[in-house]
Amino acid sequence: MFTGFTEDTIRFFLDIRFHNEISFYKAHEDEYRTHVKEPFYQFIDSMAETMLSIAPDIETRPSKCLARLRRDTRFTKDKSPFRDHLWLLFRRGGEARETCVTYWFELGPDRLVWGLGFWGANRPAMDALRKRMENKPQEVRKVFRQCGIPDDTLHIFGDAYQRMKPPAGLPVDLAMLIP
């Protein structure tokens, strides 16, 4: 049962940030399991029913949803072996991460973010979304209202697209989605 993330979760992230070495991790691996991995697994389990109500084929197994703490450093200048934060992704099982809608949550010492979107640039999906927003702006606004998203607090970020005047009835923040 998920009871929340604790100060020990954040403390582990801070410790690994300042002692980003394999020897440190090995000496504190039990703390990682207890204060980071298990609470994330519990959080994923607590969200599973809701996620499956959105789509019955969303992957909800914790081991498939949670990112690894160990970084892949093969193609980066930063060779630090561990992340100082973690994220989880809910997406349809078997679908490529780059092409499917992803619900995500990220926690670290300096961030708590969540959202819905694509892993990378998905031009066909963004074009379809833009077209829908242009053709049916009131329908899009209705969905936002149903989700409890006030017009002045919606923020869309990621790859920047050409800005233009939004169609009547859409908040200015959404202008970046419309070519």
Side-chain angles (χ1 to χ4, degrees), residues 7-8 21 23 43 47 55 69 71 79 83 88-89 97 105 120 126 129 132 150 163 171:
E7 287 183 32
D8 291 323
E21 301 141 7
S23 60
F43 180 67
M47 294 293 296
L69 186 66
R71 297 177 61 242
K79 300 299 181 187
R83 293 182 175 88
L88 61 92
L89 303 175
R97 185 171 58 185
F105 172 84
M126 294 306 291
L129 178 59
R132 179 62 154 255
R163 288 191 171 267

Side-chain angles (χ1 to χ4, degrees), residues 121 130 141 143 178:
R130 284 188 208 98
R141 288 178 64 85
V143 169
I178 303 165

Side-chain angles (χ1 to χ4, degrees), residues 41-158:
Y41 272 26
Q42 292 167 1
F43 180 67
I44 293 166
D45 284 339
S46 73
M47 294 293 296
E49 185 178 341
T50 300
M51 298 312 299
L52 292 169
S53 73
I54 294 169
D57 56 348
I58 285 183
E59 178 62 72
T60 60
R61 291 178 291 176
S63 63
K64 298 291 184 180
C65 296
L66 186 62
R68 296 181 336 215
L69 186 66
R70 183 80 188 244
R71 297 177 61 242
D72 181 355
T73 60
R74 292 176 296 171
F75 308 107
T76 181
K77 290 180 182 178
D78 178 4
K79 300 299 181 187
S80 55
F82 300 101
R83 293 182 175 88
D84 63 357
H85 62 284
L86 271 183
W87 69 87
L88 61 92
L89 303 175
F90 289 108
R91 63 186 170 107
R92 288 198 155 123
E95 246 184 270
R97 185 171 58 185
E98 294 78 16
T99 59
C100 68
V101 173
T102 301
Y103 299 85
W104 53 274
F105 172 84
E106 184 174 353
L107 177 67
D110 54 356
R111 71 188 99 178
L112 170 63
V113 290
W114 55 270
L116 164 72
F118 297 98
W119 181 262
N122 185 331
R123 187 67 186 211
M126 294 306 291
D127 288 345
L129 178 59
R130 284 188 208 98
K131 186 174 183 174
R132 179 62 154 255
M133 294 171 87
E134 285 178 317
N135 294 337
K136 299 185 178 188
Q138 293 309 319
E139 181 182 287
V140 173
R141 288 178 64 85
K142 181 180 177 185
V143 169
F144 291 155
R145 282 192 302 275
Q146 288 172 337
C147 294
I149 302 171
D151 293 346
D152 61 340
T153 63
L154 177 65
H155 301 285
I156 297 174
F157 59 91

